Amino acid sequence: MDDTIKERSIVQDMVKGLLILFVIYFHATMFGDSNALTTFNILYCVFPCLMSVFFFYSGYNYSPKGRTYKEKISHRAKQLLLPIPIVFVVATLLVGGLQMITGNATLQAVLYGDLYFLLSEGGFDLLGISIASGCIDVILAVGILWFLYVLFIISAVFYLIVDWTIEKTSRFLGVTAICLLISFMIVQFVGVSLPHMVQAYPVILAIMLAGAYLKTKNFLDRPADSPKALWSIIITTIVFEAAIFFSCYFCHVQFGADLVGAMPGGQFNAVIKGFDVFIVFIASILGTYVIHTLMRLLSNIKLLRIAFGYIGKRLSLVYLTHTTILSFVVTLIFGRDLSGLGQFYPLVLVLLTITVFVVISLIVESAIKVIKSSKSKKMETVNEN
């Protein structure tokens, strides 16, 4: 394997590992504060663009060679759509069942939690249904599936136009501008949260196209083979991070916007509305550079490389199971009373959730190895006979 590709893979695994910890932290806060989205947190100014980085990477890792459009879509469908019904059913049974058994939710609340996924938050708003009527644990456990079907829908359009778009800078700028303008108009004049996050589709497409285009410029993997080159990368990283932080903090101080540039669940800030579209787009590019560069610098530390890399390589499994594990941790370990943990409860929940995931994954992976080894030995015996 090419050393550059191998290094990029390690760094991206580390980035994904760190980002999923942030995602778990964000969801953990909602178990103790249902108003987390409307409560200002200085940490959200430091790095708001969690999900945007995943979209950017999806575009950045695009390769024009190989599969046909039909093959790409087929692969994406298996990768993104197949897990949805499986996770939906399993999470409902496990999380919903636990909450009903422990007396924390009724069957109606569990069903409303499932309805939240089927209609999305925008659909709830449109029909006038309160999220409070659903079981928060189920809402979180199945609500995370939005990322999968949204990425599939955007990928279907992305594959159609990406090669043509990134061929020329003028085309890329034009298509990107159109995408951002469409999202701006929808969010500014229709709504910040519409059914199935349609308001975010154009800007997500723009982010993925930006990733594919900037890949041609070696945006994330500039050589750091001299002190001058290294310092240039470090200074650029600091400037980008400062731009993200002060943009978000300025919007909070000046306009009272509590969370901008984040696009949580595909939503945009209700205060600055369409203007949040541009902050999301810019933060996705600058933020990916910041976090990717940070992991490039830290990848030389073996312990961090192993820890973040282990989680990052299992990103899909962590993402699809973390809210279910969170529900069990909060319910079975703490009895849903987090007051004893004080303000550090999200950190404790993150640590316990990851610990449970690692233990389960090690057991399952070990069992799979034993089964494969057993089958292999049986085949050898049969062949010998």
Side-chain angles (χ1 to χ4, degrees):
M1 179 181 290
D2 183 86
D3 289 340
T4 303
I5 296 176
K6 184 177 180 181
E7 178 187 355
R8 185 195 68 199
S9 177
I10 292 172
V11 172
Q12 286 196 21
D13 283 339
M14 291 180 67
V15 171
K16 293 171 183 177
L18 179 59
L19 288 183
I20 197 62
L21 293 181
F22 288 158
V23 171
I24 297 173
Y25 178 91
F26 178 77
H27 287 147
T29 62
M30 301 184 74
F31 279 93
D33 179 13
S34 58
N35 297 315
L37 288 180
T38 56
T39 303
F40 177 73
N41 189 325
I42 195 70
L43 292 177
Y44 300 156
C45 293
V46 176
F47 201 81
C49 45
L50 297 181
M51 304 311 293
S52 298
V53 174
F54 294 120
F55 288 124
F56 186 93
Y57 268 151
S58 184
Y60 195 83
N61 292 331
Y62 169 74
S63 174
K65 300 177 182 179
R67 300 176 177 136
T68 64
Y69 177 79
K70 183 179 179 180
E71 290 172 334
K72 291 175 183 175
I73 290 300
S74 177
H75 174 72
R76 267 312 205 198
K78 294 176 182 177
Q79 183 185 50
L80 298 173
L81 298 184
L82 185 59
I84 291 179
I86 298 173
V87 174
F88 181 84
V89 172
V90 173
T92 299
L93 292 175
L94 290 178
V95 176
L98 175 66
Q99 297 312 312
M100 286 192 293
I101 291 173
T102 54
N104 295 309
T106 63
L107 176 60
Q108 182 181 21
V110 170
L111 294 177
Y112 265 107
D114 284 341
L115 189 63
Y116 173 87
F117 167 72
L118 298 175
L119 297 179
S120 76
E121 184 166 346
F124 263 37
D125 292 340
L126 190 65
L127 297 175
I129 304 174
S130 172
I131 292 181
S133 60
C135 173
I136 182 63
D137 297 59
V138 176
I139 286 176
L140 288 175
V142 300
I144 58 171
L145 295 172
W146 76 271
F147 179 82
L148 301 185
Y149 68 75
V150 167
L151 182 56
F152 175 78
I153 293 171
I154 304 305
S155 295
V157 180
F158 173 81
Y159 290 139
L160 282 175
I161 67 173
V162 60
D163 292 333
W164 179 85
T165 300
I166 66 175
E167 188 176 13
K168 294 182 179 180
T169 300
S170 58
R171 290 178 185 172
F172 164 70
L173 294 176
V175 172
T176 301
I178 292 172
C179 289
L180 295 179
L181 183 59
I182 292 173
S183 266
F184 171 82
M185 297 294 287
I186 294 174
V187 175
Q188 187 70 18
F189 301 108
V190 182
V192 298
S193 178
L194 300 176
H196 298 290
M197 305 85 186
V198 295
Q199 71 281 347
Y201 291 4
V203 70
I204 292 173
L205 176 59
I207 291 171
M208 290 177 62
L209 289 172
Y213 174 77
L214 291 173
K215 171 66 177 297
T216 65
K217 309 298 180 183
N218 207 31
F219 178 66
L220 297 178
D221 305 295
R222 290 164 50 198
D225 48 6
S226 69
K228 183 178 180 180
L230 179 60
W231 276 108
S232 175
I233 291 173
I234 292 174
I235 292 173
T236 301
T237 302
I238 294 173
V239 171
F240 282 3
E241 174 55 35
I244 293 171
F245 179 85
F246 287 112
S247 295
C248 296
Y249 191 69
F250 174 81
C251 288
H252 170 66
V253 173
Q254 190 68 29
F255 307 110
D258 296 316
L259 181 62
V260 300
M263 197 170 58
Q267 300 178 72
F268 293 88
N269 186 269
V271 177
I272 63 173
K273 296 183 178 180
F275 294 98
D276 192 24
V277 167
F278 301 108
I279 298 178
V280 165
F281 178 72
I282 294 172
S284 71
I285 298 173
L286 304 188
T288 305
Y289 185 92
V290 169
I291 197 73
H292 188 91
T293 301
L294 177 63
M295 288 297 108
R296 282 184 71 185
L297 298 175
L298 295 179
S299 63
N300 293 319
I301 302 176
K302 186 176 181 180
L303 180 61
L304 295 180
R305 185 171 67 248
I306 294 174
F308 290 129
Y310 181 89
I311 300 171
K313 288 177 181 177
R314 295 157 180 80
L315 173 68
S316 297
L317 287 175
V318 180
Y319 181 76
L320 294 175
T321 62
H322 77 274
T323 45
T324 295
I325 296 174
L326 265 173
S327 177
F328 273 74
V329 168
V330 171
T331 304
L332 297 182
I333 297 180
F334 298 103
R336 306 196 69 80
D337 182 8
L338 303 173
S339 59
L341 301 177
Q343 61 181 335
F344 298 106
Y345 76 88
L347 293 176
V348 175
L349 294 182
V350 170
L351 179 60
L352 289 174
T353 299
I354 286 298
T355 300
V356 171
F357 174 82
V358 170
V359 170
I360 293 175
S361 66
L362 287 175
I363 293 174
V364 172
E365 288 171 12
S366 296
I368 291 174
K369 287 182 180 179
V370 170
I371 293 173
K372 286 184 176 180
S373 176
S374 177
K375 287 183 177 180
S376 177
K377 288 180 180 180
K378 288 181 179 180
M379 289 297 295
E380 290 177 0
T381 302
V382 171
N383 291 333
E384 288 177 358
N385 293 334

